[in-house]
Amino acid sequence: MKFVVPYLRVVAGMFAAITLWLAVVETLNGNFAEALIQLALTAGLGYLAIGKPLRDRHKRMKAEQDAIAARAEAGHRAFLAGDVGAALAPPPEPPKPPKVRRGVVIAAAIAGLFVLTGILGDISDGLDSPSKDDATTTPQSAPRSAAATSSTPYTTSAAATAPAAAPETTAAKPVPATRAAAAAPTAVMPNVVCMDLQAAQDVIQAAGVFYSTSVDATGQGRAQVWDRNWVVVDQTPSVGAVIDEGDPVLSVLKEDEFSGC
């Protein structure tokens, strides 16, 4: 049984790391109750993994301190009795920590690599909330196409925005150059539906707007950690609309959830 116990501690430590990561994911997704449950599991598994080694280390340190204190007391008494040799005797050697088996080290390295691979895979998939796994497997209705969702593009021509022409006898008031420049549109919204999120952001930035936002089209609030893993299925405002910083909002799905393009 003593041979198996260190490996069981490695397994407990691995699951403690997994539950800690799940707590982080739940926190990022706003599920604080589930995050507290995962943290409680992390604390329990962590205690099983490192509780006894920490207690053993505390006992060794206490035994070492007690031995040094006893040796100092014995040396003091020997010095008072005139035994200088006994008073100057070296202190006892501290107890040696137990050796860690090579197999346990290898198992811990494999467990750490397994946890790290899972975390990286979870990040690449967009940090799904563990408490909403059932919701993610529910088939989603087909997203609206760009043609169906886009409204009539805004016109930027002077004919559409200018007021009714004044009679020929009335002289038009000149518009100051500064006001005309201020009223000029910042950029025009391009069509980015069916692009991956990173490419869509690049196109919007090329149009002159550097700040846009993205939202999970399923309504689950999943974080878009890796933009290239997400596909734009809808956009606001529609194609051709005049936009400014922060106006573009892109609805996205994971690339394996969307087949409408």
Side-chain angles (χ1 to χ4, degrees):
M1 185 63 182
K2 290 183 179 180
F3 178 81
V4 181
V5 169
Y7 296 96
L8 294 179
R9 292 198 190 98
V10 170
V11 174
M14 180 184 69
F15 281 103
I18 293 174
T19 53
L20 179 60
W21 171 247
L22 294 180
V24 172
V25 174
E26 293 288 10
T27 302
L28 292 176
N29 285 281
N31 304 321
F32 299 108
E34 290 81 359
L36 290 176
I37 295 174
Q38 297 292 350
L39 286 176
L41 291 175
T42 300
L45 292 169
Y47 179 78
L48 292 176
I50 63 174
K52 188 176 186 303
L54 289 179
R55 291 196 304 269
D56 292 344
R57 182 175 182 275
H58 177 71
K59 290 178 181 178
R60 289 196 306 271
M61 293 178 63
K62 189 175 185 304
E64 181 180 353
Q65 293 172 357
D66 292 343
I68 293 175
R71 176 66 191 86
E73 179 66 21
H76 178 67
R77 292 179 179 178
F79 180 79
L80 294 178
D83 189 354
V84 180
L88 298 178
E93 294 185 0
K96 295 181 179 180
K99 294 182 179 180
V100 180
R101 293 196 295 268
R102 180 179 300 177
V104 176
V105 175
I106 295 174
I110 294 175
L113 181 62
F114 176 79
V115 173
L116 181 61
T117 303
I119 291 175
L120 293 178
D122 204 9
I123 291 176
S124 67
D125 287 341
L127 295 184
D128 285 338
S129 174
S131 60
K132 296 183 179 179
D133 285 341
D134 295 337
T136 58
T137 58
T138 304
Q140 303 293 332
S141 58
R144 296 174 295 174
S145 63
T149 58
S150 60
S151 58
T152 305
Y154 292 172
T155 177
T156 58
S157 63
T161 58
E168 296 181 359
T169 57
T170 305
K173 295 182 178 180
V175 180
T178 54
R179 287 185 56 191
T186 302
V188 175
M189 183 69 180
N191 185 6
V192 295
V193 174
C194 292
M195 296 183 183
D196 70 70
L197 181 55
Q198 182 62 59
Q201 292 171 345
D202 293 341
V203 171
I204 293 174
Q205 290 179 0
V209 171
F210 294 92
Y211 176 65
S212 59
T213 57
S214 59
V215 296
D216 184 0
T218 64
Q220 300 175 43
R222 295 175 294 181
Q224 291 83 55
V225 178
W226 193 356
D227 292 341
R228 298 189 186 278
N229 248 25
W230 297 80
V231 178
V232 179
V233 298
D234 198 2
Q235 64 180 57
T236 303
S238 57
V239 180
V242 178
I243 55 175
D244 205 340
E245 297 295 335
D247 289 344
V249 179
L250 309 178
S251 298
V252 294
L253 290 174
K254 288 184 184 177
E255 58 182 0
D256 57 350
E257 296 175 344
F258 180 62
S259 59
C261 295

